[in-house]
Amino acid sequence: MSVSETVEVTGHLIDSGILSRILDDIREYEGDYVIDRFDVGHDAADTSRATITVSADDDPALQRLLMRLQTRGVNQVDPGEAMLALADMDGVFPDGFYSTTNLETKVRIGSTWIDVGNPEMDCGLVVEYSGSGEVVRVMTLPMSDVRIGMHVVCGASGVRVKSPVLEKAPGSFGFMESEVSSEKPQGVLVRSVADGMREAKAAGKKVLWVGGPGVVHTGAAPAMVAMVDAGFVDVLFAGNALATHDIESALYGTSLGVDLALGRGVEHGHEHHIRALNTIRKVGSIAAAVEQGVLTGGIMHAMVTHEKAFVLVGSVRDDGPLPDVYTDVIEGQRAMRAQLQDVGYCLMVATMLHSVATGNILPASIPLVCVDINPATVTKLADRGSSHARGIVTDVGLFLEQLAGELVPDYRRA
């Protein structure tokens, strides 16, 4: 005997291709379906609505299927109330826990729908109660932060998500129709990014940047400094490399030993990055280097001078690293999450791993643009769950120069 549940989904189901992906998911999870009703939008701007009965061999299989379908914005017609279980081990969710998406989420506790304030994929949902037994909040929580006795949502009951409306199907026929292309008119793309940043700032939101060392290697650090000075960089996520090579550039005029003005290596230049690290470690921190006049220019100097937040998380490749770098990646994740409050726009530049990591902790409601010379960086980000990410394939240095010119009218590269 099988078990079943009736679900519904609304959106541009045909144009976006979402309905076919929903049906593929059902079959991939060894379930079955019957389309009970399908109301097709009449005009191009109209959304469609489908009601589907899905079935699986048993309830655990059905719950896994329902959770998978929610990544597509599919909800139960009668979701009921959330089922809770107590965590009985630190760092371990109860069996059958609800695996979260990055979509806007609500959880029904009793008769009340409660907004989840920090949607994030690949986490669990934890309900916090006051001493009098009232619900304080429902939040997403990463596995590493689970503690014994926490109330964890299990199964898909009592959970609803809201998916951003997709306008069209990827791969539909037409010239220049791909989401990732190096042949789009770059001026239009740059203005679009600049407009998104301005809109975020006008709404009182922060602009988050995620950067890799290519920002410095391509000679674009002055452009980024101009944007920090103009207030368009509120938070920076990066690794040890961007900060180290930015500081190397400020101290020695090189990046990985290459003279950024002449474009060629200099004598003993291979030592510069390690000497830059040693200089900062000697004074204790990047901020201390700025305060003591040791560091007088560059991106990190601008971030400190304007009291902007930055989170540097390291890897096994790092030299040094800088004293500001989180070498415990779980602590680094927590530090990154702590800076997401009020972020309204995110620009990712020249970094694959940090882009994917940041995409994994960002709600799908935050506009996200990824810029890289390598198309694989952009597609990998979308493949890891940030399907709303917009990709721009271009030289990062030229892009940032153009963006600075758009955002800072008096910016002129010397």
Side-chain angles (χ1 to χ4, degrees):
M1 294 182 63
S2 64
V3 291
S4 62
E5 188 68 57
T6 303
V7 299
E8 60 185 353
V9 61
T10 300
H12 294 291
L13 304 182
I14 299 175
D15 294 345
S16 69
I18 192 66
L19 181 60
S20 63
R21 292 196 287 275
I22 290 169
L23 301 183
D24 287 344
D25 284 344
I26 295 172
R27 298 306 295 162
E28 182 180 337
Y29 275 63
E30 299 182 348
D32 205 349
Y33 65 88
V34 174
I35 299 177
D36 303 311
R37 182 171 178 172
F38 190 18
D39 298 322
V40 180
H42 187 268
D43 296 321
D46 295 338
T47 58
S48 301
R49 181 174 180 272
T51 304
I52 307 170
T53 297
V54 297
S55 57
D57 289 340
D58 52 39
D59 189 63
L62 178 63
Q63 294 302 316
R64 287 194 296 273
L65 173 57
L66 292 174
M67 282 186 268
R68 171 59 182 175
L69 295 181
Q70 280 200 320
T71 67
R72 309 289 191 191
V74 179
N75 293 297
Q76 298 176 60
V77 172
D78 181 12
E81 299 179 14
M83 304 293 292
L84 305 180
L86 292 177
D88 58 5
M89 293 178 63
D90 287 346
V92 179
F93 289 121
D95 292 341
F97 71 95
Y98 178 83
S99 178
T100 58
T101 70
N102 59 3
L103 305 176
E104 181 181 326
T105 305
K106 294 178 179 286
V107 177
R108 188 176 184 180
I109 307 295
S111 59
T112 304
W113 285 100
I114 301 172
D115 291 322
V116 176
N118 57 329
E120 179 182 335
M121 69 177 76
D122 299 332
C123 291
L125 290 171
V126 171
V127 182
E128 287 189 353
Y129 291 93
S130 67
S132 59
E134 297 180 350
V135 176
V136 175
R137 62 173 176 164
V138 181
M139 62 178 181
T140 56
L141 195 73
M143 187 179 301
S144 58
D145 290 347
V146 175
R147 296 295 177 263
I148 292 174
M150 286 184 168
H151 298 265
V152 180
V153 175
C154 291
S157 297
V159 181
R160 294 188 69 88
V161 300
K162 181 179 180 182
S163 180
V165 175
L166 298 175
E167 296 297 333
K168 62 186 293 184
S172 56
F173 177 77
F175 294 112
M176 308 297 286
E177 293 293 321
S178 68
E179 290 297 316
V180 179
S181 174
S182 60
E183 298 182 329
K184 299 289 181 70
Q186 184 155 311
V188 175
L189 298 176
V190 170
R191 285 192 294 275
S192 175
V193 172
D195 288 343
M197 290 184 168
R198 292 190 190 103
E199 290 170 8
K201 298 297 291 184
K205 299 292 186 179
K206 297 177 182 177
V207 177
L208 166 65
W209 285 61
V210 185
V215 173
V216 181
H217 299 334
T218 58
M224 187 167 177
V225 169
M227 288 182 277
V228 176
D229 291 341
F232 289 102
V233 184
D234 296 296
V235 183
L236 172 63
F237 291 170
N240 181 67
L242 181 147
T244 297
H245 298 308
D246 171 67
I247 293 168
E248 175 194 343
S249 173
L251 295 179
Y252 299 102
T254 62
S255 179
L256 278 180
V258 175
D259 188 308
L260 292 173
L262 301 177
R264 61 171 181 261
V266 299
E267 188 176 4
H268 305 300
H270 66 281
E271 302 175 2
H272 287 176
H273 82 281
I274 199 70
R275 295 192 182 281
L277 281 164
N278 197 60
T279 298
I280 304 302
R281 289 174 69 92
K282 183 177 181 180
V283 296
S285 70
I286 296 172
V290 174
E291 292 165 4
Q292 296 176 30
V294 174
L295 182 63
T296 59
I299 297 168
M300 302 313 298
H301 172 270
M303 294 296 290
V304 171
T305 300
H306 292 285
E307 298 182 342
K308 300 298 184 180
F310 59 87
V311 180
L312 308 177
V313 183
S315 73
V316 294
R317 303 185 307 275
D318 291 339
D319 296 315
L322 289 165
D324 303 79
V325 171
Y326 287 90
T327 55
D328 182 323
V329 293
I330 299 300
E331 290 299 323
Q333 289 176 11
R334 291 170 181 153
M336 290 166 69
R337 290 187 179 97
Q339 295 296 335
L340 297 183
Q341 186 71 31
D342 294 327
V343 167
Y345 195 90
C346 179
L347 178 62
M348 301 175 166
V349 187
T351 172
M352 179 183 289
L353 297 182
H354 265 76
S355 292
V356 173
T358 304
N360 284 355
I361 65 175
L362 280 177
S365 58
I366 295 178
L368 174 58
V369 176
C370 180
V371 183
D372 203 285
I373 194 67
N374 183 2
T377 299
V378 179
T379 55
K380 188 180 288 290
L381 180 65
D383 289 344
R384 293 301 187 275
S386 300
S387 57
H388 62 297
R390 182 181 181 187
I392 299 175
V393 179
T394 188
D395 177 86
V396 167
L398 296 178
F399 178 87
L400 292 180
E401 287 287 330
Q402 288 182 273
L403 184 60
E406 186 73 28
L407 290 171
V408 189
D410 60 351
Y411 173 72
R412 293 292 184 271
R413 179 68 186 272

